[in-house]
Amino acid sequence: MEDTQKSVWETYLTQRNFEFGQQGKQPYTQQMILAPDGRITNYGSNNEKFWQIKDNQLEFLDINRQLTTSFVLPESPAKLEHFTLTGTYVLNSSVKHQLRARSLPQDLHTMRDDLEQSLTDRFLQASSPTFPRSRKIKTHSHIRVAFILNSVETLPALMPLIQAVKKDAMFEAKILVLNRMYTSADYGYFLSTRSKVEAFLTRAGLNFISLDDDDDSALDNLKLWQADFIVRQSEWDNDYPDQFIGERLDWARLIHIPYTITEKMIYPVGHKTGSLLTNEYYLHVWRYFTEEPLGPNEKEAIEKSFVSRDIFQSVGSMKAKMIQHAAPNWPIHHGGKRVLWTAHHSVTKRWLNFGMFPQIYQSMLAWTQAHQELSVLFNPHPLLREIIRTEDVPGLSLAQYDAFLKEFASLPNGGVLQNTSQYGASAAADVVLTDGSSAFYEMQIQRKPIVALLRSDHVAFTPEGEKILKGVHVKTDIDHALRTVSQLLREPDNKLNNQIETTKTWLANDHPEFAIMQAMRGEMGL
């Protein structure tokens, strides 16, 4: 492609918003931006992070700058049919991606005028980010906090703060509930999580705003309400529609409260240095409330990133306190000793590589059938079924998984726990068998014997993670793990003192939510 022709395409591509998604399906996003510096913005997938024009093709690259989708470019933008480019997803050639301009300029002069107007609009929006132009600044007597929720399983990490804010006369809260976005290897779609969150909030006596598919209006209304603080449930932009990604919410003060207790345990995927605290989302955050002060490894990693140490404040862990006080609740009506078996969703080789369900589920079924004197409850990660449904999991189909769930739930001494908090069950258990990184330490708070199954290819543990593992019995195969489970059902756990030492700082503050609210008051000068 000639330089002049390439320049025309670069001008066109960097001056439009685009719909992007799989051909014939609902778009993943309607606001994708191809920035002049080669980044893809306003879209959270790691599969599409960079773009470039090479020869006569527009190429999308992943976070590691590997080619993911290739679009053949016509001679000029004027040759586009229906303003649309169609490309091949190189990781699965049967998948076709579409990139459609939201509007098409008639000529390059119009494109220049549009760009000037766009820059003017952006300047005005940046100058007045919390309210529309031509609207007077409202004054309000309460500190306004918006909670954006999409997962019932991780709500326990936020509930103490939600309830405390609702009870405090100095605060006004809005709870927004929407479906969780799920991004698989090939495409993204919404999970039906909203109704479960709404049912949970209703039982708790909390009012909420249920968001339908008009997320643009919801974001506009949130700005009109002028939230002072926004608390999103997850740090992963992929969990949300484009309207609620970090860079479109930081007109308010974004608060992050981790749904895990700690991010100290593992290194970023594919690394043996660094910290998860340098996640790009944290660039947008006003305050990240941690369970304990930053460690040396975390401080060093943060200094090597654009994330600021100023955003981190140690307050303890609401989730840890909730787990500590969870009321025992065992759903299986069986009089034997209780084994809780939890399964992580990282069962492929694409991410954390902790999940061992495909390798062990048949052994667990046979073991449970053979030990009728025990009560065994299976608790899968809420995304395990989605991984099996959308990705190639060797040795396990979706039909096999669903058949297993049905068979295991039908056992007189077996059961399946889904779509609810697991901590009542773990509080009631005698032993926990798990392959999930969070479960390695969460049940230590409840002083439960924990047998941790580890794959050989799992993401690397930090020194802090290795210390946490001293509170569990690490095994690498199911036979040794089950023998250890049987032993722990008969004998005291020799890891108890390590568990107490590991968890003490997380539990030191009985009410971390009050410290969080005080930080908000201080920020507002109250």
Side-chain angles (χ1 to χ4, degrees):
M1 179 176 288
E2 295 180 356
D3 290 344
T4 302
Q5 187 181 7
K6 183 178 180 182
S7 177
V8 170
W9 269 112
E10 288 174 342
T11 301
Y12 171 77
L13 292 170
T14 56
Q15 294 178 10
R16 320 308 306 160
N17 287 354
F18 292 92
E19 286 184 0
F20 173 70
Q22 191 171 347
Q23 190 176 43
K25 297 189 177 182
Q26 186 75 14
Y28 307 155
T29 176
Q30 296 182 338
Q31 298 291 338
M32 177 181 280
I33 295 172
L34 307 187
D37 63 0
R39 294 183 303 120
I40 296 175
T41 65
N42 230 28
Y43 180 56
S45 174
N46 287 336
N47 279 338
E48 291 84 26
K49 281 294 186 185
F50 304 97
W51 69 277
Q52 63 184 17
I53 294 176
K54 188 174 182 180
D55 298 327
N56 68 331
Q57 294 183 332
L58 167 64
E59 295 182 341
F60 282 1
L61 313 176
D62 66 16
I63 195 169
N64 298 313
R65 295 188 181 270
Q66 299 299 308
L67 177 65
T68 56
T69 300
S70 178
F71 303 88
V72 176
L73 296 174
E75 181 180 350
S76 74
K79 301 289 186 181
L80 282 172
E81 293 186 9
H82 307 295
F83 315 151
T84 301
L85 291 169
T86 301
T88 300
Y89 183 56
V90 299
L91 303 180
N92 182 353
S93 59
S94 65
V95 173
K96 301 299 180 183
H97 281 156
Q98 281 192 341
L99 186 71
R100 186 173 74 87
R102 298 296 299 271
S103 59
L104 186 70
Q106 296 177 355
D107 53 49
L108 289 181
H109 296 290
T110 304
M111 284 200 288
R112 181 194 63 199
D113 294 341
D114 283 357
L115 178 59
E116 291 175 354
Q117 183 60 50
S118 174
L119 291 173
T120 300
D121 290 345
R122 290 187 185 186
F123 171 77
L124 290 170
Q125 290 170 7
S127 302
S128 180
T130 61
F131 52 92
R133 295 195 310 276
S134 303
R135 180 174 292 274
K136 292 180 180 179
I137 300 175
K138 296 178 183 176
T139 59
H140 47 262
S141 57
H142 295 83
I143 299 173
R144 299 183 178 184
V145 186
F147 296 90
I148 302 177
L149 309 180
N150 63 1
S151 171
V152 70
E153 290 84 3
T154 59
L155 258 180
L158 279 183
M159 281 303 292
L161 179 62
I162 294 173
Q163 292 170 326
V165 165
K166 281 285 192 178
K167 292 177 182 178
D168 193 309
M170 187 176 286
F171 289 82
E172 181 183 359
K174 299 289 185 185
I175 302 175
L176 284 60
V177 186
L178 67 163
N179 285 318
R180 182 177 182 178
M181 189 81 181
Y182 174 71
T183 304
S184 73
D186 297 326
Y187 57 95
Y189 56 92
F190 287 101
L191 302 173
S192 299
T193 60
R194 186 177 64 192
S195 61
K196 299 180 181 69
V197 177
E198 291 174 351
F200 183 98
L201 295 173
T202 299
R203 289 193 299 270
L206 294 170
N207 295 320
F208 53 84
I209 300 170
S210 182
L211 301 188
D212 53 24
D213 295 331
D214 192 359
D215 296 311
D216 287 314
S217 293
L219 180 60
D220 289 342
N221 287 333
L222 189 60
K223 289 181 178 180
L224 287 172
W225 183 63
Q226 294 184 24
D228 297 307
F229 300 91
I230 295 177
V231 185
R232 206 180 70 174
Q233 204 171 359
S234 156
E235 71 268 36
W236 307 113
D237 278 343
N238 286 350
D239 289 348
Y240 298 89
D242 290 343
Q243 291 80 358
F244 298 112
I245 64 175
E247 64 187 58
R248 300 193 69 184
L249 292 177
D250 60 8
W251 49 267
R253 298 163 185 83
L254 271 176
I255 288 174
H256 181 64
I257 298 165
Y259 61 85
T260 58
I261 292 173
T262 177
E263 292 195 75
K264 292 179 181 289
M265 190 167 188
I266 58 176
Y267 287 116
V269 175
H271 298 273
K272 292 187 177 180
T273 60
S275 169
L276 294 177
L277 296 184
T278 58
N279 183 335
E280 186 174 318
Y281 176 68
Y282 302 145
L283 293 173
H284 303 281
V285 166
W286 167 73
R287 193 66 51 83
Y288 180 135
F289 292 102
T290 63
E291 80 292 347
E292 59 186 346
L294 299 177
N297 175 68
E298 291 169 321
K299 291 178 181 178
E300 179 182 3
I302 290 167
E303 287 173 355
K304 294 179 179 178
S305 78
F306 283 105
V307 176
S308 171
R309 276 179 59 181
D310 284 346
I311 72 170
F312 298 98
Q313 180 177 341
S314 172
V315 296
S317 171
M318 290 185 291
K319 186 173 184 180
K321 298 302 295 186
M322 181 280 304
I323 293 172
Q324 182 184 37
H325 297 300
N329 181 26
W330 193 254
I332 303 173
H333 300 292
H334 185 281
K337 288 195 172 183
R338 299 165 174 177
V339 177
L340 176 64
W341 164 34
T342 76
H344 202 251
H345 64 301
S346 58
V347 292
T348 63
K349 295 186 177 181
R350 297 173 57 89
W351 188 40
L352 299 180
N353 302 354
F354 280 117
M356 292 184 68
F357 179 82
Q359 295 94 330
I360 70 170
Y361 77 98
Q362 291 175 329
S363 296
M364 286 302 301
L365 177 62
W367 185 79
T368 303
Q369 290 171 324
H371 290 271
Q372 293 293 313
E373 77 280 7
L374 302 178
S375 179
V376 184
L377 182 64
F378 174 55
N379 175 225
H381 190 284
L383 291 181
L384 177 58
R385 190 176 188 277
E386 291 301 316
I387 293 290
I388 297 169
R389 189 173 78 86
T390 60
E391 300 190 23
D392 181 20
V393 179
L396 183 64
S397 67
L398 183 61
Q400 288 173 314
Y401 179 71
D402 287 340
F404 164 80
L405 290 182
K406 185 176 180 179
E407 184 174 7
F408 201 87
S410 70
L411 296 176
N413 64 326
V416 177
L417 181 69
Q418 299 187 94
N419 302 321
T420 189
S421 173
Q422 68 187 147
Y423 302 113
S426 59
D430 295 299
V431 174
V432 176
L433 172 66
T434 183
D435 61 10
S437 55
S438 297
F440 292 163
Y441 55 79
E442 287 182 344
M443 285 66 179
Q444 292 191 43
I445 294 167
Q446 296 172 327
R447 312 307 181 215
K448 298 296 176 179
I450 301 169
V451 179
L453 271 168
L454 275 184
R455 280 167 50 175
S456 60
D457 59 342
H458 64 79
V459 66
F461 290 113
T462 64
E464 292 90 349
E466 296 288 353
K467 180 181 177 182
I468 290 172
L469 286 179
K470 291 180 180 180
V472 304
H473 301 263
V474 176
K475 303 297 174 184
T476 57
D477 67 88
I478 189 61
D479 291 336
H480 284 90
L482 290 175
R483 284 199 290 271
T484 304
V485 168
S486 297
Q487 180 182 347
L488 290 169
L489 289 171
R490 301 188 307 266
E491 303 172 3
D493 185 14
N494 61 8
K495 303 288 187 177
L496 179 58
N497 290 336
N498 291 337
Q499 293 183 352
I500 294 170
E501 178 64 24
T502 294
T503 62
K504 65 181 182 181
T505 57
W506 310 340
L507 301 170
N509 185 354
D510 285 336
H511 293 285
E513 64 273 21
F514 295 159
I516 295 170
M517 292 165 68
Q518 185 57 39
M520 287 191 265
R521 292 188 190 97
E523 174 69 8
M524 302 305 292
L526 300 173

